[in-house]
Amino acid sequence: MAADTLDVGGLCSRPPPRLSLWQPPRSREAASGCGAVRPDTTPLGRRTRSSHVATPATAGCMAASSPPPSLRQRRRRLLATVASSTAAAAATAGLVFVALSALAPTPSIAHTFLTVPQSMSHIEGCRIGGSPGYVVSCPGPCPAHTKAMLRDPPTTTTIRRGGVLNLRYSRNNHEGGFARYSLVPADRAMDGHFHTRAAFLYTCWDTGAFKCRNPRERWRDCKYDDDQVAYKRRLRIPRVYPDGLYVLGFAWWGGLDKGKGFNAALGDYYDCSYVRIQGGPRMQRFHQPTFDASGEPGGKPGTCRSSVSMLGMCWREPCFQHHGGNMKPAVFSGGRRPDPIAAWWMNPPHILPRSLSELPDPAAASHLRPFAAITPDEAARLYGITLLEMHPVTGAVLARRAHVNWRVPVRVRRGRAVTIVADVGGDVRWVRWFVNGPLERRTGSWPYAIGGVGPRAQPVPWKAAIWGRPFSLKVRVTGMRGLTIVRQWRRVRFVRW
């Protein structure tokens, strides 16, 4: 940010230019041989200290450019008025900023993300929503999303079965909430239901704090934290995973703003890393997920400080409707615990049995709907659709537009192709696209684009896109067990410009 740029409440604006209340006519400058820029004068024509000796020529210029007494008095009065108005405006802006900052979550670039092992994506802070100016559309369970392009080639950490994985993640001026760790086959990275069933450890998020000491740690782990603090943990990999490539899922929910108690507005956050399991002790048939509340800095024994007890209660940020406390994750409350993780789940085709044990308790979900009506299909969610402007030949994404007003003509630059992707999360089996009634495409893999998906999970341009005339667009999302979500836009129109 430039030195003369002001930042008030995240809005950057440059100060108004200095007013020149009187300037000599250009004809007089030309007649007297004076230049337009003088190094020894200010923009208001005031004489500054200079080592130059005045010559007859420069003295004539100074005499010619000296304003009359009446204009000098007007200039002093106007400068005093401008100074008082600027001070009053700055004070008002400061009060407004303080009031808004008390209500909104801290407008950091990112609230939490994995730093070790390296994330599978370049995004920092995978969530839905956010403060104005920091809005993100990343529904999880991993940040492989239209706004979170995958690293190419991906970085993979190799570890033995039953070994210990050293993990670090950023704090970024927050505290509280729960962390969940899951390990799923790489081809199930975006399957939210599989992450839920394969979650092997739940912990309090703000445990294992450490101070960043060297430049590498300060840049990698603490670059957004005011106190230069981050978190680390040692994860024991369960012995139910055969050799192969997996995705380590990291989820954080119920987070609190530092120093603001249990009132928070933070949503659900996700991150993932590639992990290769190779060798190790003999495999086990089952592994029982556990909840570890040790190391919680301020909660009651066996609980964590959190605003909510489960993922999905604050799926969009900001989320002001909950007041938290000391609690357990919903899957461990009331004496319950999740089903064991079975080793045969990890063998192709990676089919999970039906189970209801991971459902939240009735008290935690009472604000959603009656407990008896909740099914695992509710993990399938449709947040909206995103327009991608693409290169017509290479398919490279040139622009991503997540908040399009589809009721007015959508302008697209000439020479660009388009496609539309569904922003979905959780337990998704199929996404069907309908254009003017008939089925346009059915896709079962991320990123669920209307134009199709390439061999490397990249969106493909929509070759049958309609230009210049309106058409109806409908998207139908189906969960693994039949729950269907439908949204429709009746008049969509693409125009070139």
Side-chain angles (χ1 to χ4, degrees), residues 113-116 168-172 210 212 216-225 228-231:
F113 52 90
L114 290 175
T115 59
V116 177
R168 295 189 178 195
Y169 50 94
S170 60
R171 187 184 75 155
N172 297 336
F210 71 96
C212 294
R216 182 182 183 185
E217 289 181 342
R218 285 193 290 267
W219 170 251
R220 181 191 63 191
D221 306 324
C222 301
K223 61 181 177 180
Y224 300 123
D225 191 78
Q228 294 294 288
V229 173
Y231 299 119

Side-chain angles (χ1 to χ4, degrees), residues 218-425:
R218 285 193 290 267
W219 170 251
R220 181 191 63 191
D221 306 324
C222 301
K223 61 181 177 180
Y224 300 123
D225 191 78
D226 295 341
D227 300 326
Q228 294 294 288
V229 173
Y231 299 119
K232 60 183 178 181
R233 172 171 288 276
R234 291 167 58 86
L235 288 181
R236 177 74 65 179
I237 302 299
R239 292 169 54 184
V240 294
Y241 292 94
D243 291 0
L245 181 63
Y246 296 87
V247 167
L248 174 68
F250 169 73
W252 174 49
W253 70 95
L256 308 171
D257 282 328
K258 185 176 63 176
K260 294 185 179 179
F262 292 117
N263 292 317
L266 301 177
D268 300 337
Y269 284 77
Y270 303 91
D271 207 350
C272 293
S273 296
Y274 287 110
V275 174
R276 181 174 296 277
I277 296 179
Q278 185 172 347
R282 185 177 179 179
M283 288 184 57
Q284 296 175 341
R285 296 181 59 194
F286 298 98
H287 174 81
Q288 179 60 52
T290 58
F291 169 51
D292 180 12
S294 62
E296 166 65 16
K300 296 180 180 179
T303 64
C304 303
R305 297 172 302 152
S306 180
S307 61
V308 293
S309 62
M310 66 176 183
L311 288 167
M313 292 180 68
C314 277
W315 63 272
R316 181 182 294 276
E317 185 176 300
C319 177
F320 295 105
Q321 63 264 37
H322 301 287
H323 180 81
N326 297 288
M327 61 185 74
K328 293 182 178 181
V331 291
F332 288 91
S333 62
R336 287 190 299 273
R337 61 179 183 173
D339 282 346
I341 302 173
W344 61 267
W345 296 355
M346 310 306 159
N347 298 323
H350 307 134
I351 301 298
L352 292 176
R354 178 163 184 166
S355 174
L356 301 180
S357 65
E358 71 273 16
L359 295 180
D361 58 282
S366 59
H367 71 287
L368 297 176
R369 60 173 60 181
F371 175 67
I374 298 178
T375 69
D377 296 290
E378 294 212 348
R381 296 188 294 268
L382 174 63
Y383 303 108
I385 57 177
T386 296
L387 174 67
L388 304 183
E389 297 184 22
M390 313 176 68
H391 192 283
V393 178
T394 65
V397 177
L398 304 177
R400 301 174 180 85
R401 300 163 61 180
H403 304 283
V404 177
N405 184 0
W406 299 99
R407 292 187 292 271
V408 300
V410 180
R411 303 174 65 187
V412 180
R413 288 185 179 274
R414 294 187 181 276
R416 292 185 177 183
V418 297
T419 192
I420 305 173
V421 298
D423 296 336
V424 299

Side-chain angles (χ1 to χ4, degrees), residues 15-163:
R18 297 177 180 175
L19 299 176
S20 181
L21 304 184
W22 180 85
Q23 291 182 356
R26 294 284 300 174
S27 60
R28 183 175 297 180
E29 291 182 353
S32 59
C34 301
V37 178
R38 295 192 39 182
D40 57 338
T41 59
T42 66
L44 291 176
R46 294 175 179 171
R47 183 67 179 177
T48 60
R49 295 177 182 266
S50 176
S51 59
H52 296 288
V53 178
T55 63
T58 58
C61 290
M62 292 171 59
S65 61
S66 179
S70 59
L71 288 180
R72 286 199 298 268
Q73 294 176 1
R74 289 177 54 196
R75 180 175 62 194
R76 284 194 293 268
R77 290 196 299 267
L78 184 54
L79 285 176
T81 303
V82 170
S84 61
S85 300
T86 304
T92 303
L95 291 175
V96 171
F97 172 70
V98 170
L100 292 177
S101 63
L103 296 176
T106 306
S108 345
I109 299 299
H111 289 298
T112 192
F113 52 90
L114 290 175
T115 59
V116 177
Q118 189 181 60
S119 171
M120 66 190 295
S121 167
H122 291 285
I123 196 172
E124 296 178 342
C126 175
R127 65 175 182 270
I128 294 291
S131 303
Y134 301 92
V135 175
V136 179
S137 179
C138 184
C142 286
H145 192 251
T146 54
K147 287 193 174 183
M149 303 310 294
L150 294 175
R151 296 181 186 272
D152 190 17
T155 300
T156 304
T157 301
T158 301
I159 190 171
R160 290 167 56 86
R161 182 171 43 256

